[in-house]
Amino acid sequence: DYWLTQAIRLADAQCERQELSGRFRWAGHEDDRFSSLVHNALADCALIDLAGELKSCEQPGRVNRYLNVARKNLDGYIIKHLYRPELEGFTMNPVDHYANRDRFIVNMNSVAIEAMTKLDLQTESNEYAALVHTVSQKMFSLQSKEGAGKGSLPYSHAESGLHISLYSALALRSLPTLKEYCDSTSLTDMANGALSFLDRMEDEKTGLWFHKIENEQPTHYPIFVAGAGMICNGILDASRISGTEIDELSLASKLLSYQYPGGGIRNFIGYNHPDNGRWEGDGKECWEDVYPSPNWNAQAFHFLSRVLPPPERPEQSGGVLIYNNSRRFVYFENSRISCVAGTWPPRRWT
């Protein structure tokens, strides 16, 4: 199977990136000098999921390797170095240089819960049960009960007024395995509230979701496009917990309407906008908008692979696809590379 072979190739590579401490190399949140909670936990989830798939393929060596790597990461790095009893959860990095204080970042802790519950379920144990209970109860307690962010999971315990659609959706990742692990009425309440919040965040013009609400004020841009696969995943997970019927194909079409002929999906809409801190930005399309980076496209691929039948092995095409509707940049791609080059305004290098 082509897709399974590719998944194994990537999982083997991920295992090779584990350091003696248990943490993974090149797993930083926008800064690879560090190794963040969410990127380590996401890698653990992928390894554990693939181990589950391989149990029926008579590959016990790889199954054990992937589970052992995930356990070493959880025990040796995430729990040993990132857990903070006073937070009742995990901090982002050993030192949070963004805030100069430890924070319970909700979406990151949710993915850590997912990794722990998946490993326990896969190995038929309850090794992480007490920790899962502590962290999940803290997460439930932070769900917003009022205001424009009602139903949302805020970015962190220290930023209760900051509700970013993308990260509120990512915080829902742990719900399916939590339901299987320790069913609770809190899960249904959390799912229903989050679905209502994300429904209110939908942008009529693009069909996607506007960026955030901060201190009761909406900020429209930048709108995530490929990354909106993360929001679609959150909606899918929450709907299955709450029993809410959703149109999965309609969600898929939101992403596919922005897909390029070569398969990639653009990153953003409105990146060059004052909403995004670019005070002189005019909102016109910029290279950050059009470029389809692998990290965000992986989120779209994850969702699409859950709701659409698997495609045939992709054909290799040697043709060059040009995308250039602005004097500001040229974008092009072929089967092996993609490139963007800024052309305007001219800059003087000193």
Side-chain angles (χ1 to χ4, degrees):
D1 181 273
Y2 171 79
W3 297 107
L4 182 60
T5 299
Q6 295 304 309
I8 290 171
R9 177 180 66 84
L10 293 171
D12 287 347
Q14 186 64 44
C15 291
E16 293 298 321
R17 292 174 183 139
Q18 187 168 48
E19 299 177 350
L20 292 176
S21 66
R23 74 176 195 171
F24 294 114
R25 293 193 301 275
W26 307 315
H29 180 76
E30 301 176 345
D31 190 337
D32 279 331
R33 292 176 298 171
F34 310 102
S35 194
S36 81
L37 170 63
V38 69
H39 292 89
N40 279 267
L42 283 169
D44 291 335
C45 291
L47 292 172
I48 297 166
D49 285 344
L50 184 54
E53 292 294 322
L54 292 178
K55 281 187 174 179
S56 61
C57 299
E58 298 183 358
Q59 295 198 42
R62 275 201 167 93
V63 170
N64 291 334
R65 184 189 188 195
Y66 296 163
L67 295 180
N68 288 336
V69 167
R71 185 180 300 281
K72 182 177 180 180
N73 180 256
L74 280 169
D75 294 346
Y77 182 62
I78 290 179
I79 296 174
K80 182 177 181 180
H81 292 283
L82 301 182
Y83 185 70
R84 301 289 187 269
E86 64 276 15
L87 287 181
E88 298 177 284
F90 302 94
T91 190
M92 172 186 184
N93 286 317
V95 177
D96 187 339
H97 293 279
Y98 290 88
N100 292 318
R101 59 176 293 189
D102 288 339
R103 293 176 294 169
F104 185 106
I105 297 177
V106 181
N107 70 85
M108 297 188 183
N109 275 268
S110 180
V111 181
I113 291 170
E114 180 187 3
M116 291 187 290
T117 53
K118 281 185 170 179
L119 187 55
D120 264 358
L121 291 168
Q122 188 85 249
T123 57
E124 299 181 351
S125 68
N126 61 353
E127 178 179 347
Y128 302 105
L131 197 52
V132 166
H133 176 77
T134 298
V135 181
S136 61
Q137 291 302 307
K138 177 72 171 185
M139 180 173 69
F140 297 151
S141 74
L142 292 173
Q143 187 169 27
S144 181
K145 303 297 191 295
E146 59 187 9
K150 182 179 179 181
S152 167
L153 283 307
Y155 187 70
S156 81
H157 84 290
E159 298 148 297
S160 59
L162 177 58
H163 305 276
I164 301 172
S165 57
L166 187 88
Y167 295 122
S168 292
L170 181 59
L172 305 174
R173 266 194 66 136
S174 62
L175 297 192
T177 48
L178 266 176
K179 184 174 179 62
E180 186 178 355
Y181 192 79
C182 55
D183 197 4
S184 166
T185 56
S186 298
L187 296 173
T188 304
D189 294 341
M190 183 174 169
N192 283 326
L195 285 172
S196 295
F197 169 73
L198 291 171
D199 185 59
R200 298 195 305 273
M201 293 288 280
E202 189 168 345
D203 173 58
E204 293 183 2
K205 183 178 180 181
T206 62
L208 299 169
W209 294 268
F210 66 86
H211 192 74
K212 68 179 179 180
I213 289 173
E214 186 169 11
N215 298 325
E216 298 294 307
Q217 299 301 313
T219 297
H220 207 85
Y221 298 107
I223 292 175
F224 289 94
V225 183
M230 194 181 287
I231 301 176
C232 295
N233 273 316
I235 292 172
L236 184 61
D237 290 335
S239 67
R240 291 178 177 178
I241 297 297
S242 68
T244 303
E245 290 189 14
I246 61 169
D247 188 340
E248 298 175 358
L249 294 182
S250 176
L251 286 177
S253 70
K254 291 176 182 291
L255 305 178
L256 294 174
S257 65
Y258 292 97
Q259 187 175 40
Y260 296 144
I265 297 174
R266 62 183 292 152
N267 277 354
F268 301 105
I269 294 171
Y271 200 85
N272 187 39
H273 191 279
D275 279 358
N276 196 30
R278 295 190 171 184
W279 309 119
E280 296 182 1
D282 53 13
K284 291 183 179 178
E285 200 165 63
C286 62
W287 71 265
E288 290 99 332
D289 287 322
V290 304
Y291 195 77
S293 65
N295 57 327
W296 292 124
N297 272 258
Q299 307 306 322
F301 181 80
H302 182 200
F303 172 72
L304 294 172
S305 67
R306 297 177 69 187
V307 300
L308 300 177
E312 297 296 325
R313 175 174 176 167
E315 296 181 2
Q316 297 295 319
S317 172
V320 175
L321 302 170
I322 301 293
Y323 181 85
N324 179 16
N325 69 347
S326 169
R327 66 174 183 162
R328 300 181 177 200
F329 60 88
V330 175
Y331 170 77
F332 69 90
E333 65 176 46
N334 62 21
S335 62
R336 293 187 177 277
I337 65 168
S338 58
C339 181
V340 64
T343 58
W344 190 267
R347 300 287 180 94
R348 183 179 69 180
W349 295 93
T350 58

